[in-house]
Amino acid sequence: MRSVNRDRLVHYVFEYGIVVVLAVLVLVFSLSSPSFFTASTLTTILSQVSVIGIIAIGMACVMLLGSIDLSVGATAGLVSVTAALLMSMGFPVWSAVILTLIVGIVIGLFNALSLTLFRIPSLIGTLAVMTALRGLAYLLSNGIPIYDIDAGFKQLAQGSFLSIPIPGLLFLGIFVVVAIVLNRAKIGRQIYGVGGNEEASRLSGVPVTRIKYFVFALSGLLAAVGGLLLLARTNSGQPSAGSGYELDVITAVVLGGVAITGGKGRLWLVLVGVLIMGTLSTGMVMNNVNDYVQQVVKGLILVAAVAFSQIAARSQGGRTITR
């Protein structure tokens, strides 16, 4: 009985400890900065984490497969530049948005192709794509920001509905849809199955290759949505947009408890991980913490999150990274 209770306690600690971490961060920053725990600050955090959050949803699905997508930040940057370029050339907003969303999907499909057809590990394949996309963004923009975009497009990032920022609403809406798919739809169960045991899933008749194409296409699509939000937020197509976002996204997903080896994780906890990253960034800014110190803190958090994930996997009899 004691062993059962201990195992149950360990399970709850690893499963829901992240919620306690978020609560502690909110408490600490509220005490250190009286203006932190206000409606305006909380809505600002929601708006600021929307881009990272949307991209993290796609990354979480990729990591549930046991893969990774390092190209998401570069995809967002390329989409930002491409959409700005199309608008500056006179394309209607709706057509520029649709075309650049297709660009994101195509990039995701290419990542899946390199993984499934050429057997290139996703870490290496998406790293190569990231480098190529970043260079392409600079080529298309000649290395300078593109400012001549539709004036009303910025409302996508600066508008609000019922006092909730539109980016935050978009983030939460995408979260709900993907969470329903993962938890209720057949393809959601298949994603978990492929990540848990790919060979067993294949022998059970699961279309493993098709699942990988779907998930990577989703990741590319959501990275493109993030790029459009970046364009609306900055009101310019920046070739450097999204730089370093892949690390923030991975940190948020691992913080949310998604197993690095795949097959385990809950999307709502990824939402908590995203909020932790946003709370930490906003809190440190409000307390005048040096930018370089912030980078050190984020790096340490990623290391701690991976270590925590490894410990959780061992304690629950799961797989750990061995190479």
Side-chain angles (χ1 to χ4, degrees):
M1 179 65 73
R2 288 183 179 179
S3 177
V4 172
N5 290 335
R6 186 186 64 185
D7 291 343
R8 185 176 299 175
L9 177 62
V10 170
H11 169 75
Y12 281 124
V13 168
F14 285 117
E15 190 80 4
Y16 304 110
I18 186 175
V19 180
V20 177
V21 171
L22 177 60
V24 169
L25 281 176
V26 172
L27 177 62
V28 169
F29 287 131
S30 297
L31 293 175
S32 63
S33 179
S35 60
F36 179 83
F37 196 69
T38 61
S40 63
T41 300
L42 297 179
T43 54
T44 297
I45 291 175
L46 180 61
S47 179
Q48 288 179 344
V49 302
S50 58
V51 174
I52 294 294
I54 289 171
I55 299 175
I57 292 171
M59 181 69 80
C61 294
V62 171
M63 290 178 65
L64 284 173
L65 286 179
S67 298
I68 200 163
D69 186 356
L70 295 180
S71 69
V72 288
T75 298
L78 178 63
V79 164
S80 174
V81 167
T82 304
L85 185 62
L86 290 173
M87 291 181 198
S88 68
M89 294 169 60
F91 279 73
V93 172
W94 65 268
S95 62
V97 168
I98 291 175
L99 287 172
T100 48
L101 290 179
I102 292 174
V103 168
I105 293 173
V106 170
I107 292 171
L109 292 174
F110 181 83
N111 286 332
L113 178 70
S114 69
L115 174 64
T116 58
L117 183 61
F118 301 114
R119 305 297 181 185
I120 300 174
S122 58
L123 177 67
I124 304 301
T126 59
L127 177 62
V129 171
M130 176 188 76
T131 304
L133 294 181
R134 189 62 68 190
L136 184 57
Y138 277 94
L139 283 174
L140 289 176
S141 63
N142 291 319
I144 59 175
I146 302 173
Y147 292 101
D148 190 15
I149 66 173
D150 188 275
F153 185 73
K154 64 182 180 180
Q155 290 302 312
L156 178 64
Q158 300 177 14
S160 63
F161 179 75
L162 299 177
S163 300
I164 302 176
I166 290 177
L169 288 173
L170 184 61
F171 167 39
L172 294 176
I174 292 173
F175 163 77
V176 170
V177 172
V178 177
I180 291 174
V181 170
L182 286 177
N183 295 318
R184 303 293 181 184
K186 179 180 178 181
I187 193 171
R189 295 190 294 272
Q190 290 175 333
I191 290 171
Y192 278 98
V194 171
N197 192 321
E198 181 175 327
E199 188 59 28
S201 296
R202 182 178 285 107
L203 293 174
S204 300
V206 175
V208 173
T209 300
R210 241 182 294 172
I211 295 296
K212 290 182 178 180
Y213 275 100
F214 171 79
V215 169
F216 274 94
L218 177 64
S219 179
L221 173 63
L222 295 183
V225 173
L228 290 172
L229 282 177
L230 282 174
L231 174 60
R233 179 180 295 175
T234 60
N235 207 25
S236 63
Q238 304 274 353
S240 61
S243 180
Y245 273 30
E246 55 280 343
L247 294 181
D248 287 342
V249 167
I250 292 170
T251 302
V253 174
V254 176
L255 270 175
V258 175
I260 302 171
T261 49
K264 293 182 180 180
R266 298 189 182 185
L267 197 61
W268 77 268
L269 288 174
V270 173
L271 173 63
V272 178
V274 170
L275 292 176
I276 284 178
M277 296 298 293
T279 300
L280 194 61
S281 296
T282 302
M284 287 192 294
V285 168
M286 294 181 72
N287 283 277
N288 299 314
V289 177
N290 186 282
D291 287 344
Y292 303 121
V293 174
Q294 292 185 38
Q295 293 179 28
V296 172
V297 170
K298 288 181 180 179
L300 292 175
I301 288 175
L302 177 56
V303 172
V306 172
F308 194 77
S309 176
Q310 293 288 87
I311 294 171
R314 285 197 297 268
S315 68
Q316 298 172 15
R319 296 175 297 164
T320 60
I321 298 174
T322 57
R323 64 183 187 279

